[in-house]
Amino acid sequence: MVNNITKTYSTSEIRALKTRYDKLLSEVSLHDRLYYRENNPRISDFEYDCLKSEVERLQEILSVYAVEIEDTAIGDDRNSGFQSFAHPSPMMSLSNTYSREELFQFSNHLEAMLGQQKFSYAIEPKIDGIAINLIYRRGKFFRALTRGNGTVGDDVSANIKTIRGLPLEIENYAEAIEIRGEVYMDKQTFIGINKMREEQELELFANPRNLAAGTLKTLDLDEVAERDLKLITYAIGHSSEKIVDLQSEVLELLKNFGFASQEKYWIAENIEEAWRCVEELDSTRHIFPYWTDGAVLKVNELQLYGILGATAKSPRWAIAYKFTPERATTKIKNIVLQVGRTGIITPVADLESVQLSGTNVSRATLHNADEISKKDIRVGDYVTVEKAGEIIPAIVAVDSIRRNVDSIPFVFPKTCPSCGSQLIQLPGEVAWRCQNLCCLPQIQRRLEHFVSRTAMDIDGLGSVIIEKLMAVKKLNNIADIYRLTFNDLEGLEKFGTKSALKILSNIDHSKNRPLWRLLHGFGILGIGEQTAKILASHFHSLDNLIAATSEELEQLNGVGIKLSNAIVTFFREQHNGNILNDLRMLGVVPGDRRLEISQNQNSKFHAKNFVLTGTLSSMTRQEAAEKIEHLGGSVANAISKQVNVLIAGENCGSKLGKAQSLGLEIWNETDLLENLNGVVA
Ligand code: IVH
């Protein structure tokens, strides 16, 4: 935004400003590289925007004093591995502001430029994702390009095609039309992925925007499809024909083309009304399935865009108003080192509790030793905490001025804080690990994982009880769970007869859980729920899997050298072999999926291929897929001749037409439910 320069500067002040400008410019270029190319930002969007706005302010002052300066480069997301193509019309970005006053200034500017012309505003959520340009030729999907440098972008068509519901045909037969939108990852998917990573003790993704950006540039299409990216469109770029007159009509038209539409948008007659819409968006955005980091205000009358024009980087007919992330200042009481299931040592800041975005925050992960030394975070420091992506509290800054004179840098230990073993750093990893398998917190985490909902699902055996049972030496490994007696449990402090009996019954019920649950429960490095399911449905029994060679394992989808090694080493280990024998003797015999399937051979699902499309009201598509697989069917992503049945929910896209043209059987949700009810699941 344009600021007026009121102060007069001396020559030495200008020289100092130039030095600061050069320093900030190199910082911006570092953060541009981390954000656009590596999808791994080191500072928050808010900090970046503040930095950028200072650079722009300095640029303005220095240009008034005719100082020659290098300009900020335009962010560029292109990577090798993708072919680049020119955008039919350039992809600009939006100027942004965090201030209400500047938003009103934007409106004053518009009024000054448009004089007597009446205009209104369209106010839309600003989706926190990655800009995409979808090109359709004569109504058919042709190509999807990232913004790149604004003129030339990467062709990510194959990745974009994994997005469910993307219309491959639209009712616009213009020679070429560009449809602009945002690719994003919704809250549920992002939280789910991080939950799974937490279980596997992998580093958590910091925010959904960067995960979506990384996914969009992933070469493995199965991995892209699994990440379940989503798309919302909000503009038409170049079109060989004029189509509509208003931005509100653009949004409706895109919906009619079959694109997913904005959760909500508003039309306002003046800036005061527009501001109320922005406030309404701010108070309701938490219920949206995607993250919004602001509002985009656009002039609603498209014919005025030509009059208003653009600066070198952004159009004058729109602005992004960004919501200031909630931040709070608090004190680090202590830095605690947690030992995870696989021995990774994670430093966590124990904070004086503080309110942030409606929740009480008293801990924040410090990720790893590098992060602590990079930010020089110390016990006793006053720090600024921000909630990245509205969920994970992160320390974004340390107030070194409020630091005590006797404060000392945090020294990351060389030995395990729990068992004292030497810590090691594996090649290519930043994390420090304790390798002692008998280290007590590791055993406890392994037991917690084994009984967890996504593994053997033993309800009631929570971490407090596990800890108590470990303290009295009743639990040392997973086989001991099946040796627990009524007396062991009832003997625990404050433990009732009813609870003890319930837990024993839950333990007993878990003995015949499906094989994949047992495999997942073992916590073999890198084997999550998905890979456990692949292994179970291929090998059917633990004995078959134990007998498998690395070569056999590597034939399976999603199992590479690293995983096959981890599996073989796990089963070869003597101590693990003993525990497996104990489990067998104690009656832990996983259910064989083939039996379940053969019992359901008469079901309408047995040995058939299904594709799910659109929204189901009684369950998610994931849940429906699990039920189908349980009944012997399989579920594919795309329509082909191999598919037998398309299950079409509400608002389905082009899959329905394709299935009809291939003459496939089509079920609606009622058909699905009737067929599910007709069998014993
Ligand atoms: S209109 C000239 N509308 O935010 C650019 N952009 O920070 C016109 N974005 O580059 C873009 N939600 O990638 C528009 N409702 C929305 C948006 C939106 C998110 C992105 C877009 C843009 C960036 C600017």
Side-chain angles (χ1 to χ4, degrees), residues 134 136 139 165-174 176-180 231 233-239 241-244 249-261 651-654:
L134 306 167
Y136 287 78
L166 170 86
L168 293 175
E169 284 182 29
I170 57 169
E171 269 177 38
N172 178 292
Y173 308 110
I177 181 170
E178 285 179 291
I179 292 174
R180 303 270 166 91
L231 165 78
T233 53
Y234 44 66
I236 294 180
H238 166 80
S239 161
E241 283 166 27
K242 175 177 175 289
I243 313 175
V244 287
E249 291 169 351
V250 168
L251 295 175
E252 294 305 319
L253 184 69
L254 292 172
K255 206 192 285 183
N256 293 337
F257 282 164
F259 292 102
S261 50
N651 304 320
C652 48
S654 60

mmCIF file of all heavy atoms in Angstrom, residues 134 136 139 165-174 176-180 231 233-239 241-244 249-261 651-654:
data_model
loop_
_atom_site.group_PDB
_atom_site.id
_atom_site.type_symbol
_atom_site.label_atom_id
_atom_site.label_comp_id
_atom_site.label_asym_id
_atom_site.label_seq_id
_atom_site.Cartn_x
_atom_site.Cartn_y
_atom_site.Cartn_z
ATOM 1 N N LEU A 134 -6.161 -23.318 -14.451
ATOM 2 C CA LEU A 134 -6.686 -24.475 -15.185
ATOM 3 C C LEU A 134 -7.071 -24.010 -16.581
ATOM 4 O O LEU A 134 -7.888 -23.093 -16.727
ATOM 5 C CB LEU A 134 -7.923 -25.030 -14.477
ATOM 6 C CG LEU A 134 -7.733 -25.376 -13.000
ATOM 7 C CD1 LEU A 134 -9.079 -25.608 -12.336
ATOM 8 C CD2 LEU A 134 -6.857 -26.612 -12.860
ATOM 9 N N TYR A 136 -8.826 -24.810 -20.108
ATOM 10 C CA TYR A 136 -9.746 -25.693 -20.832
ATOM 11 C C TYR A 136 -9.749 -25.253 -22.283
ATOM 12 O O TYR A 136 -9.766 -24.052 -22.570
ATOM 13 C CB TYR A 136 -11.164 -25.594 -20.248
ATOM 14 C CG TYR A 136 -11.272 -26.284 -18.901
ATOM 15 C CD1 TYR A 136 -10.790 -25.669 -17.747
ATOM 16 C CD2 TYR A 136 -11.833 -27.560 -18.787
ATOM 17 C CE1 TYR A 136 -10.857 -26.313 -16.523
ATOM 18 C CE2 TYR A 136 -11.910 -28.202 -17.567
ATOM 19 C CZ TYR A 136 -11.422 -27.580 -16.441
ATOM 20 O OH TYR A 136 -11.477 -28.210 -15.221
ATOM 21 N N GLY A 139 -13.914 -26.644 -24.146
ATOM 22 C CA GLY A 139 -14.702 -27.336 -23.116
ATOM 23 C C GLY A 139 -14.003 -28.507 -22.449
ATOM 24 O O GLY A 139 -14.530 -29.087 -21.505
ATOM 25 N N GLY A 165 -13.604 -34.909 -8.234
ATOM 26 C CA GLY A 165 -14.633 -33.960 -8.628
ATOM 27 C C GLY A 165 -14.129 -32.882 -9.578
ATOM 28 O O GLY A 165 -14.890 -32.006 -9.969
ATOM 29 N N LEU A 166 -12.842 -32.906 -9.966
ATOM 30 C CA LEU A 166 -12.358 -31.895 -10.916
ATOM 31 C C LEU A 166 -13.092 -32.118 -12.247
ATOM 32 O O LEU A 166 -12.997 -33.205 -12.826
ATOM 33 C CB LEU A 166 -10.849 -32.054 -11.139
ATOM 34 C CG LEU A 166 -10.308 -31.192 -12.289
ATOM 35 C CD1 LEU A 166 -9.980 -29.799 -11.784
ATOM 36 C CD2 LEU A 166 -9.084 -31.819 -12.936
ATOM 37 N N PRO A 167 -13.823 -31.115 -12.742
ATOM 38 C CA PRO A 167 -14.517 -31.346 -14.010
ATOM 39 C C PRO A 167 -13.513 -31.471 -15.163
ATOM 40 O O PRO A 167 -12.680 -30.590 -15.343
ATOM 41 C CB PRO A 167 -15.386 -30.093 -14.193
ATOM 42 C CG PRO A 167 -15.344 -29.374 -12.910
ATOM 43 C CD PRO A 167 -14.107 -29.792 -12.182
ATOM 44 N N LEU A 168 -13.601 -32.551 -15.893
ATOM 45 C CA LEU A 168 -12.712 -32.703 -17.046
ATOM 46 C C LEU A 168 -13.352 -32.076 -18.275
ATOM 47 O O LEU A 168 -12.699 -31.834 -19.283
ATOM 48 C CB LEU A 168 -12.387 -34.170 -17.286
ATOM 49 C CG LEU A 168 -11.547 -34.793 -16.171
ATOM 50 C CD1 LEU A 168 -11.344 -36.270 -16.383
ATOM 51 C CD2 LEU A 168 -10.190 -34.090 -16.030
ATOM 52 N N GLU A 169 -14.651 -31.821 -18.154
ATOM 53 C CA GLU A 169 -15.354 -31.117 -19.237
ATOM 54 C C GLU A 169 -16.202 -30.039 -18.617
ATOM 55 O O GLU A 169 -16.781 -30.245 -17.553
ATOM 56 C CB GLU A 169 -16.253 -32.095 -19.988
ATOM 57 C CG GLU A 169 -15.467 -32.986 -20.909
ATOM 58 C CD GLU A 169 -16.364 -33.919 -21.697
ATOM 59 O OE1 GLU A 169 -17.521 -33.556 -21.955
ATOM 60 O OE2 GLU A 169 -15.884 -35.012 -22.021
ATOM 61 N N ILE A 170 -16.252 -28.888 -19.295
ATOM 62 C CA ILE A 170 -17.133 -27.824 -18.807
ATOM 63 C C ILE A 170 -17.974 -27.318 -19.975
ATOM 64 O O ILE A 170 -17.606 -27.503 -21.142
ATOM 65 C CB ILE A 170 -16.342 -26.652 -18.179
ATOM 66 C CG1 ILE A 170 -15.339 -26.074 -19.188
ATOM 67 C CG2 ILE A 170 -15.660 -27.071 -16.910
ATOM 68 C CD1 ILE A 170 -14.731 -24.769 -18.737
ATOM 69 N N GLU A 171 -19.076 -26.683 -19.623
ATOM 70 C CA GLU A 171 -19.931 -26.186 -20.700
ATOM 71 C C GLU A 171 -19.462 -24.823 -21.153
ATOM 72 O O GLU A 171 -20.112 -23.806 -20.918
ATOM 73 C CB GLU A 171 -21.369 -26.108 -20.208
ATOM 74 C CG GLU A 171 -22.113 -27.382 -20.476
ATOM 75 C CD GLU A 171 -23.513 -27.327 -19.934
ATOM 76 O OE1 GLU A 171 -24.137 -26.251 -20.015
ATOM 77 O OE2 GLU A 171 -23.954 -28.363 -19.420
ATOM 78 N N ASN A 172 -18.297 -24.766 -21.720
ATOM 79 C CA ASN A 172 -17.834 -23.527 -22.317
ATOM 80 C C ASN A 172 -16.931 -23.967 -23.444
ATOM 81 O O ASN A 172 -15.871 -24.556 -23.204
ATOM 82 C CB ASN A 172 -17.067 -22.675 -21.308
ATOM 83 C CG ASN A 172 -16.567 -21.416 -21.962
ATOM 84 O OD1 ASN A 172 -15.682 -21.470 -22.827
ATOM 85 N ND2 ASN A 172 -17.124 -20.288 -21.591
ATOM 86 N N TYR A 173 -17.395 -23.698 -24.646
ATOM 87 C CA TYR A 173 -16.683 -24.262 -25.787
ATOM 88 C C TYR A 173 -15.736 -23.252 -26.432
ATOM 89 O O TYR A 173 -15.323 -23.410 -27.566
ATOM 90 C CB TYR A 173 -17.688 -24.847 -26.787
ATOM 91 C CG TYR A 173 -18.629 -25.796 -26.079
ATOM 92 C CD1 TYR A 173 -19.961 -25.470 -25.881
ATOM 93 C CD2 TYR A 173 -18.136 -26.978 -25.545
ATOM 94 C CE1 TYR A 173 -20.796 -26.322 -25.182
ATOM 95 C CE2 TYR A 173 -18.965 -27.841 -24.843
ATOM 96 C CZ TYR A 173 -20.301 -27.507 -24.664
ATOM 97 O OH TYR A 173 -21.104 -28.355 -23.958
ATOM 98 N N ALA A 174 -15.388 -22.209 -25.653
ATOM 99 C CA ALA A 174 -14.443 -21.221 -26.166
ATOM 100 C C ALA A 174 -13.151 -21.936 -26.563
ATOM 101 O O ALA A 174 -12.821 -22.972 -25.988
ATOM 102 C CB ALA A 174 -14.147 -20.187 -25.093
ATOM 103 N N ALA A 176 -10.180 -21.247 -25.827
ATOM 104 C CA ALA A 176 -9.409 -21.462 -24.596
ATOM 105 C C ALA A 176 -9.984 -20.598 -23.492
ATOM 106 O O ALA A 176 -10.352 -19.443 -23.727
ATOM 107 C CB ALA A 176 -7.949 -21.112 -24.829
ATOM 108 N N ILE A 177 -10.069 -21.169 -22.313
ATOM 109 C CA ILE A 177 -10.511 -20.385 -21.152
ATOM 110 C C ILE A 177 -9.641 -20.786 -19.963
ATOM 111 O O ILE A 177 -9.313 -21.960 -19.794
ATOM 112 C CB ILE A 177 -12.016 -20.589 -20.865
ATOM 113 C CG1 ILE A 177 -12.453 -19.738 -19.677
ATOM 114 C CG2 ILE A 177 -12.376 -22.036 -20.624
ATOM 115 C CD1 ILE A 177 -13.954 -19.692 -19.481
ATOM 116 N N GLU A 178 -9.235 -19.768 -19.202
ATOM 117 C CA GLU A 178 -8.414 -20.042 -18.021
ATOM 118 C C GLU A 178 -9.292 -19.907 -16.791
ATOM 119 O O GLU A 178 -9.964 -18.879 -16.624
ATOM 120 C CB GLU A 178 -7.332 -18.971 -17.881
ATOM 121 C CG GLU A 178 -6.186 -19.069 -18.826
ATOM 122 C CD GLU A 178 -5.230 -17.916 -18.541
ATOM 123 O OE1 GLU A 178 -5.596 -16.759 -18.811
ATOM 124 O OE2 GLU A 178 -4.152 -18.167 -18.016
ATOM 125 N N ILE A 179 -9.245 -20.891 -15.933
ATOM 126 C CA ILE A 179 -9.992 -20.817 -14.686
ATOM 127 C C ILE A 179 -8.994 -20.819 -13.543
ATOM 128 O O ILE A 179 -8.112 -21.672 -13.478
ATOM 129 C CB ILE A 179 -11.011 -21.965 -14.607
ATOM 130 C CG1 ILE A 179 -12.048 -21.677 -15.688
ATOM 131 C CG2 ILE A 179 -11.641 -22.049 -13.229
ATOM 132 C CD1 ILE A 179 -13.067 -22.686 -15.911
ATOM 133 N N ARG A 180 -9.128 -19.797 -12.700
ATOM 134 C CA ARG A 180 -8.132 -19.622 -11.631
ATOM 135 C C ARG A 180 -8.705 -20.057 -10.292
ATOM 136 O O ARG A 180 -9.883 -19.799 -10.016
ATOM 137 C CB ARG A 180 -7.735 -18.142 -11.535
ATOM 138 C CG ARG A 180 -7.203 -17.573 -12.849
ATOM 139 C CD ARG A 180 -5.720 -17.753 -12.909
ATOM 140 N NE ARG A 180 -5.176 -17.546 -14.238
ATOM 141 C CZ ARG A 180 -4.739 -16.394 -14.723
ATOM 142 N NH1 ARG A 180 -4.847 -15.293 -14.018
ATOM 143 N NH2 ARG A 180 -4.191 -16.339 -15.921
ATOM 144 N N LEU A 231 -9.856 -28.363 -4.355
ATOM 145 C CA LEU A 231 -9.722 -27.188 -5.230
ATOM 146 C C LEU A 231 -10.951 -26.308 -5.106
ATOM 147 O O LEU A 231 -12.072 -26.819 -5.043
ATOM 148 C CB LEU A 231 -9.607 -27.692 -6.672
ATOM 149 C CG LEU A 231 -9.817 -26.679 -7.784
ATOM 150 C CD1 LEU A 231 -8.571 -25.822 -7.948
ATOM 151 C CD2 LEU A 231 -10.130 -27.374 -9.105
ATOM 152 N N THR A 233 -12.391 -22.727 -7.082
ATOM 153 C CA THR A 233 -12.074 -21.754 -8.126
ATOM 154 C C THR A 233 -12.775 -20.434 -7.821
ATOM 155 O O THR A 233 -13.840 -20.424 -7.199
ATOM 156 C CB THR A 233 -12.524 -22.286 -9.494
ATOM 157 O OG1 THR A 233 -13.893 -22.664 -9.392
ATOM 158 C CG2 THR A 233 -11.706 -23.479 -9.923
ATOM 159 N N TYR A 234 -12.146 -19.326 -8.245
ATOM 160 C CA TYR A 234 -12.730 -18.025 -7.915
ATOM 161 C C TYR A 234 -12.607 -16.989 -9.022
ATOM 162 O O TYR A 234 -13.022 -15.856 -8.858
ATOM 163 C CB TYR A 234 -12.131 -17.459 -6.627
ATOM 164 C CG TYR A 234 -10.609 -17.612 -6.544
ATOM 165 C CD1 TYR A 234 -9.776 -16.931 -7.409
ATOM 166 C CD2 TYR A 234 -10.030 -18.445 -5.599
ATOM 167 C CE1 TYR A 234 -8.396 -17.083 -7.351
ATOM 168 C CE2 TYR A 234 -8.656 -18.603 -5.525
ATOM 169 C CZ TYR A 234 -7.852 -17.925 -6.404
ATOM 170 O OH TYR A 234 -6.489 -18.069 -6.357
ATOM 171 N N ALA A 235 -12.005 -17.345 -10.143
ATOM 172 C CA ALA A 235 -11.853 -16.314 -11.181
ATOM 173 C C ALA A 235 -11.696 -16.932 -12.562
ATOM 174 O O ALA A 235 -11.321 -18.103 -12.687
ATOM 175 C CB ALA A 235 -10.630 -15.444 -10.879
ATOM 176 N N ILE A 236 -11.992 -16.128 -13.560
ATOM 177 C CA ILE A 236 -11.719 -16.540 -14.932
ATOM 178 C C ILE A 236 -10.608 -15.631 -15.434
ATOM 179 O O ILE A 236 -10.690 -14.408 -15.295
ATOM 180 C CB ILE A 236 -12.995 -16.417 -15.797
ATOM 181 C CG1 ILE A 236 -14.031 -17.432 -15.295
ATOM 182 C CG2 ILE A 236 -12.675 -16.646 -17.278
ATOM 183 C CD1 ILE A 236 -15.330 -17.448 -16.011
ATOM 184 N N GLY A 237 -9.534 -16.218 -15.926
ATOM 185 C CA GLY A 237 -8.417 -15.423 -16.439
ATOM 186 C C GLY A 237 -8.732 -15.035 -17.868
ATOM 187 O O GLY A 237 -9.772 -14.434 -18.153
ATOM 188 N N HIS A 238 -7.868 -15.455 -18.771
ATOM 189 C CA HIS A 238 -8.114 -15.138 -20.169
ATOM 190 C C HIS A 238 -9.260 -15.988 -20.697
ATOM 191 O O HIS A 238 -9.381 -17.166 -20.396
ATOM 192 C CB HIS A 238 -6.848 -15.437 -20.974
ATOM 193 C CG HIS A 238 -7.093 -15.464 -22.439
ATOM 194 N ND1 HIS A 238 -7.185 -14.318 -23.184
ATOM 195 C CD2 HIS A 238 -7.321 -16.506 -23.280
ATOM 196 C CE1 HIS A 238 -7.430 -14.659 -24.438
ATOM 197 N NE2 HIS A 238 -7.515 -15.978 -24.529
ATOM 198 N N SER A 239 -10.135 -15.378 -21.462
ATOM 199 C CA SER A 239 -11.174 -16.158 -22.123
ATOM 200 C C SER A 239 -11.349 -15.565 -23.511
ATOM 201 O O SER A 239 -11.337 -14.343 -23.674
ATOM 202 C CB SER A 239 -12.473 -16.049 -21.337
ATOM 203 O OG SER A 239 -13.540 -16.418 -22.173
ATOM 204 N N GLU A 241 -13.907 -15.424 -25.135
ATOM 205 C CA GLU A 241 -15.228 -14.792 -25.260
ATOM 206 C C GLU A 241 -15.591 -14.112 -23.956
ATOM 207 O O GLU A 241 -15.277 -14.625 -22.886
ATOM 208 C CB GLU A 241 -16.292 -15.870 -25.517
ATOM 209 C CG GLU A 241 -16.303 -16.388 -26.919
ATOM 210 C CD GLU A 241 -17.117 -17.677 -27.008
ATOM 211 O OE1 GLU A 241 -18.025 -17.875 -26.194
ATOM 212 O OE2 GLU A 241 -16.786 -18.475 -27.897
ATOM 213 N N LYS A 242 -16.276 -12.987 -24.037
ATOM 214 C CA LYS A 242 -16.759 -12.344 -22.806
ATOM 215 C C LYS A 242 -17.922 -13.190 -22.287
ATOM 216 O O LYS A 242 -18.774 -13.629 -23.058
ATOM 217 C CB LYS A 242 -17.226 -10.926 -23.136
ATOM 218 C CG LYS A 242 -17.851 -10.218 -21.972
ATOM 219 C CD LYS A 242 -18.219 -8.790 -22.363
ATOM 220 C CE LYS A 242 -18.956 -8.084 -21.246
ATOM 221 N NZ LYS A 242 -20.307 -8.589 -21.032
ATOM 222 N N ILE A 243 -17.952 -13.458 -21.008
ATOM 223 C CA ILE A 243 -18.979 -14.392 -20.535
ATOM 224 C C ILE A 243 -20.012 -13.721 -19.637
ATOM 225 O O ILE A 243 -21.195 -13.797 -19.884
ATOM 226 C CB ILE A 243 -18.327 -15.570 -19.791
ATOM 227 C CG1 ILE A 243 -17.145 -16.120 -20.615
ATOM 228 C CG2 ILE A 243 -19.339 -16.681 -19.549
ATOM 229 C CD1 ILE A 243 -16.367 -17.194 -19.935
ATOM 230 N N VAL A 244 -19.535 -13.086 -18.572
ATOM 231 C CA VAL A 244 -20.478 -12.466 -17.627
ATOM 232 C C VAL A 244 -20.002 -11.058 -17.271
ATOM 233 O O VAL A 244 -18.908 -10.645 -17.675
ATOM 234 C CB VAL A 244 -20.603 -13.321 -16.336
ATOM 235 C CG1 VAL A 244 -21.394 -14.584 -16.575
ATOM 236 C CG2 VAL A 244 -19.233 -13.636 -15.761
ATOM 237 N N GLU A 249 -21.336 -13.227 -10.633
ATOM 238 C CA GLU A 249 -21.785 -14.149 -11.698
ATOM 239 C C GLU A 249 -20.674 -15.145 -12.058
ATOM 240 O O GLU A 249 -20.948 -16.287 -12.402
ATOM 241 C CB GLU A 249 -22.202 -13.360 -12.945
ATOM 242 C CG GLU A 249 -23.477 -12.572 -12.717
ATOM 243 C CD GLU A 249 -23.772 -11.574 -13.839
ATOM 244 O OE1 GLU A 249 -22.908 -11.356 -14.731
ATOM 245 O OE2 GLU A 249 -24.867 -10.989 -13.802
ATOM 246 N N VAL A 250 -19.415 -14.687 -11.955
ATOM 247 C CA VAL A 250 -18.289 -15.605 -12.211
ATOM 248 C C VAL A 250 -18.373 -16.769 -11.222
ATOM 249 O O VAL A 250 -18.289 -17.941 -11.592
ATOM 250 C CB VAL A 250 -16.928 -14.881 -12.052
ATOM 251 C CG1 VAL A 250 -15.768 -15.874 -12.028
ATOM 252 C CG2 VAL A 250 -16.726 -13.856 -13.146
ATOM 253 N N LEU A 251 -18.600 -16.411 -9.950
ATOM 254 C CA LEU A 251 -18.632 -17.457 -8.919
ATOM 255 C C LEU A 251 -19.773 -18.449 -9.169
ATOM 256 O O LEU A 251 -19.618 -19.652 -9.004
ATOM 257 C CB LEU A 251 -18.748 -16.827 -7.526
ATOM 258 C CG LEU A 251 -17.538 -15.979 -7.100
ATOM 259 C CD1 LEU A 251 -17.787 -15.300 -5.766
ATOM 260 C CD2 LEU A 251 -16.255 -16.810 -7.021
ATOM 261 N N GLU A 252 -20.936 -17.918 -9.583
ATOM 262 C CA GLU A 252 -22.075 -18.805 -9.863
ATOM 263 C C GLU A 252 -21.803 -19.673 -11.089
ATOM 264 O O GLU A 252 -22.128 -20.851 -11.122
ATOM 265 C CB GLU A 252 -23.365 -17.984 -10.075
ATOM 266 C CG GLU A 252 -23.850 -17.251 -8.828
ATOM 267 C CD GLU A 252 -24.062 -18.183 -7.629
ATOM 268 O OE1 GLU A 252 -24.592 -19.288 -7.822
ATOM 269 O OE2 GLU A 252 -23.657 -17.810 -6.506
ATOM 270 N N LEU A 253 -21.174 -19.050 -12.095
ATOM 271 C CA LEU A 253 -20.878 -19.781 -13.326
ATOM 272 C C LEU A 253 -19.925 -20.949 -13.046
ATOM 273 O O LEU A 253 -20.124 -22.066 -13.526
ATOM 274 C CB LEU A 253 -20.237 -18.821 -14.339
ATOM 275 C CG LEU A 253 -19.953 -19.401 -15.708
ATOM 276 C CD1 LEU A 253 -21.252 -19.674 -16.441
ATOM 277 C CD2 LEU A 253 -19.101 -18.437 -16.535
ATOM 278 N N LEU A 254 -18.901 -20.676 -12.220
ATOM 279 C CA LEU A 254 -17.928 -21.725 -11.900
ATOM 280 C C LEU A 254 -18.615 -22.881 -11.187
ATOM 281 O O LEU A 254 -18.310 -24.051 -11.420
ATOM 282 C CB LEU A 254 -16.794 -21.157 -11.039
ATOM 283 C CG LEU A 254 -15.896 -20.151 -11.771
ATOM 284 C CD1 LEU A 254 -14.926 -19.484 -10.805
ATOM 285 C CD2 LEU A 254 -15.117 -20.832 -12.890
ATOM 286 N N LYS A 255 -19.591 -22.526 -10.340
ATOM 287 C CA LYS A 255 -20.347 -23.563 -9.632
ATOM 288 C C LYS A 255 -21.116 -24.391 -10.676
ATOM 289 O O LYS A 255 -21.134 -25.613 -10.625
ATOM 290 C CB LYS A 255 -21.331 -22.881 -8.675
ATOM 291 C CG LYS A 255 -21.689 -23.764 -7.497
ATOM 292 C CD LYS A 255 -22.846 -23.242 -6.705
ATOM 293 C CE LYS A 255 -22.534 -22.056 -5.828
ATOM 294 N NZ LYS A 255 -23.713 -21.636 -5.029
ATOM 295 N N ASN A 256 -21.725 -23.705 -11.643
ATOM 296 C CA ASN A 256 -22.483 -24.437 -12.672
ATOM 297 C C ASN A 256 -21.582 -25.302 -13.555
ATOM 298 O O ASN A 256 -22.011 -26.320 -14.075
ATOM 299 C CB ASN A 256 -23.284 -23.474 -13.554
ATOM 300 C CG ASN A 256 -24.380 -22.811 -12.757
ATOM 301 O OD1 ASN A 256 -24.800 -23.363 -11.731
ATOM 302 N ND2 ASN A 256 -24.825 -21.635 -13.174
ATOM 303 N N PHE A 257 -20.342 -24.885 -13.710
ATOM 304 C CA PHE A 257 -19.391 -25.710 -14.480
ATOM 305 C C PHE A 257 -19.068 -27.007 -13.728
ATOM 306 O O PHE A 257 -18.482 -27.916 -14.275
ATOM 307 C CB PHE A 257 -18.068 -24.963 -14.699
ATOM 308 C CG PHE A 257 -18.111 -23.920 -15.786
ATOM 309 C CD1 PHE A 257 -17.109 -22.953 -15.866
ATOM 310 C CD2 PHE A 257 -19.113 -23.909 -16.753
ATOM 311 C CE1 PHE A 257 -17.111 -21.989 -16.873
ATOM 312 C CE2 PHE A 257 -19.125 -22.952 -17.759
ATOM 313 C CZ PHE A 257 -18.136 -21.992 -17.820
ATOM 314 N N GLY A 258 -19.386 -27.022 -12.436
ATOM 315 C CA GLY A 258 -19.132 -28.238 -11.649
ATOM 316 C C GLY A 258 -17.967 -28.118 -10.681
ATOM 317 O O GLY A 258 -17.572 -29.107 -10.062
ATOM 318 N N PHE A 259 -17.407 -26.905 -10.531
ATOM 319 C CA PHE A 259 -16.298 -26.733 -9.573
ATOM 320 C C PHE A 259 -16.863 -26.565 -8.165
ATOM 321 O O PHE A 259 -17.947 -26.022 -7.994
ATOM 322 C CB PHE A 259 -15.480 -25.487 -9.918
ATOM 323 C CG PHE A 259 -14.710 -25.611 -11.189
ATOM 324 C CD1 PHE A 259 -15.150 -25.006 -12.350
ATOM 325 C CD2 PHE A 259 -13.548 -26.355 -11.227
ATOM 326 C CE1 PHE A 259 -14.443 -25.125 -13.533
ATOM 327 C CE2 PHE A 259 -12.827 -26.481 -12.396
ATOM 328 C CZ PHE A 259 -13.277 -25.865 -13.545
ATOM 329 N N ALA A 260 -16.071 -27.025 -7.188
ATOM 330 C CA ALA A 260 -16.463 -26.786 -5.793
ATOM 331 C C ALA A 260 -16.441 -25.279 -5.581
ATOM 332 O O ALA A 260 -15.578 -24.587 -6.121
ATOM 333 C CB ALA A 260 -15.465 -27.464 -4.865
ATOM 334 N N SER A 261 -17.408 -24.776 -4.819
ATOM 335 C CA SER A 261 -17.483 -23.317 -4.695
ATOM 336 C C SER A 261 -17.090 -22.860 -3.299
ATOM 337 O O SER A 261 -16.999 -23.656 -2.368
ATOM 338 C CB SER A 261 -18.885 -22.844 -5.022
ATOM 339 O OG SER A 261 -19.789 -23.621 -4.283
ATOM 340 N N ASN A 651 -23.851 -34.082 -5.629
ATOM 341 C CA ASN A 651 -22.884 -33.191 -6.289
ATOM 342 C C ASN A 651 -21.724 -33.943 -6.914
ATOM 343 O O ASN A 651 -20.563 -33.587 -6.721
ATOM 344 C CB ASN A 651 -22.277 -32.180 -5.287
ATOM 345 C CG ASN A 651 -23.338 -31.389 -4.599
ATOM 346 O OD1 ASN A 651 -24.310 -31.002 -5.244
ATOM 347 N ND2 ASN A 651 -23.186 -31.168 -3.319
ATOM 348 N N CYS A 652 -22.013 -35.006 -7.634
ATOM 349 C CA CYS A 652 -20.877 -35.718 -8.215
ATOM 350 C C CYS A 652 -20.446 -35.030 -9.510
ATOM 351 O O CYS A 652 -21.225 -34.316 -10.136
ATOM 352 C CB CYS A 652 -21.177 -37.184 -8.421
ATOM 353 S SG CYS A 652 -22.716 -37.489 -9.222
ATOM 354 N N GLY A 653 -19.220 -35.245 -9.876
ATOM 355 C CA GLY A 653 -18.655 -34.557 -11.043
ATOM 356 C C GLY A 653 -18.812 -35.367 -12.309
ATOM 357 O O GLY A 653 -19.837 -36.033 -12.538
ATOM 358 N N SER A 654 -17.732 -35.369 -13.109
ATOM 359 C CA SER A 654 -17.820 -35.948 -14.447
ATOM 360 C C SER A 654 -17.823 -37.480 -14.453
ATOM 361 O O SER A 654 -18.098 -38.088 -15.478
ATOM 362 C CB SER A 654 -16.629 -35.449 -15.256
ATOM 363 O OG SER A 654 -15.457 -35.872 -14.605
#
